[in-house]
Amino acid sequence: MEQINSYIEKNKQRFLDELFELLRIPSVSADPKHKTDVLQCAEITRKKLAEAGAVNTEVCPTAGYPIVYGEKIIDPKLPTVIVYGHYDVQPADPLNLWHTKPFEPEIREGNIYARGSADDKGQFYMHVKAFELMMKTNTLPCNIKFMIEGEEEVGSVNLGEFVKQNKTRLKGDVILISDTSIIANDTPSISVGLRGLSYMEVEVTGPNKDLHSGVYGGAVGNPINILCELITSIKDTNGKITIPGFYDDVIEVSKEDRIEMAKAPFDLSEYKNELGVEDVTGENGFSTLERTSIRPTLDVNGMWGGYTGEGAKTVLPSKAFAKISMRLVPNQNSQKISDLFASHFKKIAPKTVKVKVTYHHGGEPIVTSSSSPAYKAASRAMETSFGKKPIPVRGGGSIPIVALFKKELGLDSILMGFGLDSDDIHSPNEKYGVFNYLKGIETIPHFFRFFAEGGK
Ligand code: BES
Ligand code: MN
Ligand code: MN
């Protein structure tokens, strides 16, 4: 323990400097303009792995962005931990809302401000530095394999194929991921579930061209008005989604489990305050924490159409668009829900418009055990470093690849993240606490030790 802390103390400035190097690369996977940056980030990640002591490091090509691989096998008879993370980041827009530039990291009040600081460069790099620490102090107790991908933020479309093609190389005992949050810096938690995702886009077409809203308004269906009506009708006044069959496969959480979950600390007024809202909303009969973890949702993520420029232009638009996400819970299936959405949306559209529904990426929901040897190792590791036993919680976000790891490799994932929900991931001014970064580096070697002792 002392060895870990003194190594971190001696090297923390370098740990930060190296993370900053990664954060300076705008590895935005969604934007083709950043292609060379994403590729450069992959190469630097590989180099960092090799410098930390990994062998067989490789930037593995896929049909999209590459997967960075590296490993250290100390004894094939010992257990193997596979570390997964992602070096790609979300776009930084809207740029004007950032207080400092998104790809020029800066520490203010103990936080590292930069796109990707918490999601996920700061978090996956903790594993690289914890690995370096174990190598340098001769304390790596089992085998380790790294798999850091570059397409998580765009749905991990090519990772599935990579996993299928590399089953031997990816033989292991558990997947370890830091890409989620803890409840608070003095209240550690481990995610034991993630929601799935169906992401749809709809295009509503009314008249075959934009029309004068005075000459035609009142007589011709306005696609924006109609799109709003359609979206509104997809939720009833109880906050329930009205798509027939939507809830059919939802596993209702037992009363006992809900009572257990309600013990996690949560302050509603603080929550509202932080978001600047006077009230919260959602499905009747469920708490805020439940609405964001054990229940499915439907949200419009973006909507456009008609005239949105300066001043006023009187126009009855020809088209309206929306991007809609549905967060799914076990045992909902992303393809099935997407199909239900598409057929329902087409069915409820009036004859005055035509609708086109397209599918974007999706992913399946998961729940993992809080009594497995790997979970217990993670729990003991956090208890050692935080001085407090972590609370198992179900998260609201999605990491679609976790369900795929289970299906293709038969492996469970441990979601031992160190971020905070208030880190503003995907938002302007994303940040990651220096405390969280160093705490992660401190906790990970404990996980390896406990897992190697009893994990196989
Ligand atoms: N790291 C997040 C997921 C996350 C964040 C889980 C916080 C739990 C707590 C991940 O990078 C992410 O953003 N996932 C996407 C899904 C993906 C298919 C684009 C998401 O949840 O929107
Ligand atoms: Mn992430
Ligand atoms: Mn993300």
Side-chain angles (χ1 to χ4, degrees):
M1 185 147 177
E2 227 156 71
Q3 199 180 17
I4 295 176
N5 291 334
S6 73
Y7 190 88
I8 294 173
E9 195 51 45
K10 270 193 219 112
N11 292 283
K12 66 181 179 194
Q13 189 54 49
R14 180 174 56 82
F15 288 172
L16 285 165
D17 293 343
E18 289 178 17
L19 173 59
F20 274 35
E21 261 180 73
L22 281 178
L23 293 172
R24 286 195 191 98
I25 307 167
S27 51
V28 180
S29 51
D31 188 348
K33 189 169 93 235
H34 287 295
K35 186 169 176 193
T36 50
D37 299 314
V38 184
L39 295 173
Q40 191 206 354
C41 197
E43 177 48 35
I44 294 195
T45 301
R46 187 207 62 76
K47 198 172 128 235
K48 297 285 185 206
L49 276 177
E51 283 168 3
V55 297
N56 298 327
T57 61
E58 189 183 335
V59 174
C60 311
T62 71
Y65 286 123
I67 288 145
V68 181
Y69 182 83
E71 61 181 25
K72 183 72 192 178
I73 309 296
I74 54 171
D75 179 351
K77 286 195 286 296
L78 288 171
T80 301
V81 176
I82 302 177
V83 174
Y84 163 84
H86 61 96
Y87 64 83
D88 66 322
V89 301
Q90 285 276 322
D93 323 55
L95 287 176
N96 60 321
L97 295 181
W98 284 78
H99 301 312
T100 49
K101 297 219 170 87
F103 299 107
E104 291 177 19
E106 191 182 293
I107 296 178
R108 294 195 300 276
E109 285 157 18
N111 289 310
I112 306 158
Y113 284 85
R115 170 57 85 233
S117 55
D119 186 14
D120 177 44
K121 286 174 177 168
Q123 296 220 57
F124 92 69
Y125 205 64
M126 300 179 314
H127 289 271
V128 182
K129 291 301 96 177
F131 169 60
E132 174 202 302
L133 182 156
M134 291 186 281
M135 290 296 286
K136 285 275 155 63
T137 55
N138 263 316
T139 54
L140 181 67
C142 62
N143 306 314
I144 182 169
K145 295 175 176 175
F146 285 92
M147 177 180 22
I148 314 295
E149 73 152 317
E151 295 188 312
E152 197 278 342
E153 299 292 8
V154 289
S156 302
V157 273
N158 296 296
L159 184 60
E161 191 54 32
F162 177 83
V163 170
K164 280 184 205 153
Q165 300 297 328
N166 287 273
K167 285 196 179 171
T168 318
R169 174 147 64 161
L170 297 176
K171 248 176 94 62
D173 296 279
V174 73
I175 313 255
L176 179 61
I177 307 176
S178 294
D179 196 20
T180 50
S181 334
I182 50 174
I183 294 172
N185 282 353
D186 59 1
T187 315
S189 57
I190 297 175
S191 300
V192 288
L194 289 169
R195 290 196 284 191
L197 179 69
S198 282
Y199 200 107
M200 316 294 291
E201 184 161 332
V202 296
E203 178 185 321
V204 179
T205 308
N208 56 9
K209 60 193 162 204
D210 285 4
L211 303 174
H212 188 286
S213 64
V215 177
Y216 292 95
V220 175
N222 178 322
I224 300 183
N225 292 15
I226 290 165
L227 178 55
C228 292
E229 285 161 21
L230 294 176
I231 287 169
T232 309
S233 80
I234 292 183
K235 259 188 213 172
D236 68 15
T237 48
N238 293 316
K240 283 252 184 305
I241 292 151
T242 58
I243 300 170
F246 186 85
Y247 292 96
D248 281 3
D249 301 322
V250 171
I251 296 179
E252 302 289 333
V253 175
S254 72
K255 220 172 157 187
E256 296 74 45
D257 283 353
R258 288 177 68 186
I259 290 169
E260 203 46 46
M261 286 172 63
K263 289 184 187 156
F266 178 73
D267 184 333
L268 186 58
S269 56
E270 206 177 283
Y271 184 82
K272 290 193 282 195
N273 238 338
E274 205 169 285
L275 302 180
V277 295
E278 264 181 46
D279 207 355
V280 291
T281 182
E283 191 180 353
N284 279 0
F286 294 94
S287 69
T288 295
L289 273 184
E290 289 173 335
R291 288 167 177 167
T292 56
S293 60
I294 59 167
R295 300 301 295 170
T297 60
L298 182 148
D299 277 289
V300 179
N301 293 241
M303 204 168 167
W304 67 104
Y307 183 69
T308 54
E310 286 287 317
K313 178 188 177 194
T314 49
V315 63
L316 193 161
S318 165
K319 283 182 187 291
F321 302 84
K323 290 185 193 280
I324 294 167
S325 70
M326 289 166 281
R327 297 282 170 173
L328 314 177
V329 300
N331 272 338
Q332 286 177 301
N333 171 274
S334 172
Q335 187 62 48
K336 184 173 169 190
I337 292 294
S338 301
D339 291 343
L340 287 177
F341 174 92
S343 60
H344 179 67
F345 207 81
K346 285 178 192 153
K347 200 174 126 216
I348 59 175
K351 278 211 184 90
T352 52
V353 293
K354 292 183 201 67
V355 300
K356 198 168 116 193
V357 182
T358 45
Y359 300 52
H360 286 276
H361 50 241
E364 307 309 331
I366 51 124
V367 188
T368 61
S369 157
S370 55
S371 54
S372 66
Y375 181 90
K376 284 183 190 148
S379 178
R380 285 174 69 194
M382 277 190 150
E383 189 172 0
T384 307
S385 62
F386 283 88
K388 238 187 196 179
K389 198 174 167 152
I391 301 169
V393 294
R394 282 177 58 175
S398 309
I399 308 177
I401 205 65
V402 173
L404 205 129
F405 287 147
K406 180 76 187 170
K407 185 166 160 245
E408 295 298 334
L409 301 174
L411 294 182
D412 286 320
S413 295
I414 295 297
L415 300 160
M416 189 171 72
F418 293 85
L420 294 174
D421 282 345
S422 55
D423 281 340
D424 290 323
I425 64 170
H426 296 206
S427 278
N429 305 304
E430 177 177 351
K431 60 180 176 297
Y432 190 43
V434 174
F435 167 85
N436 304 69
Y437 180 56
L438 299 177
K439 192 53 93 181
I441 300 172
E442 177 190 343
T443 308
I444 292 161
H446 293 306
F447 171 83
F448 274 78
R449 182 162 51 87
F450 292 131
F451 184 69
E453 275 169 15
K456 198 152 185 177

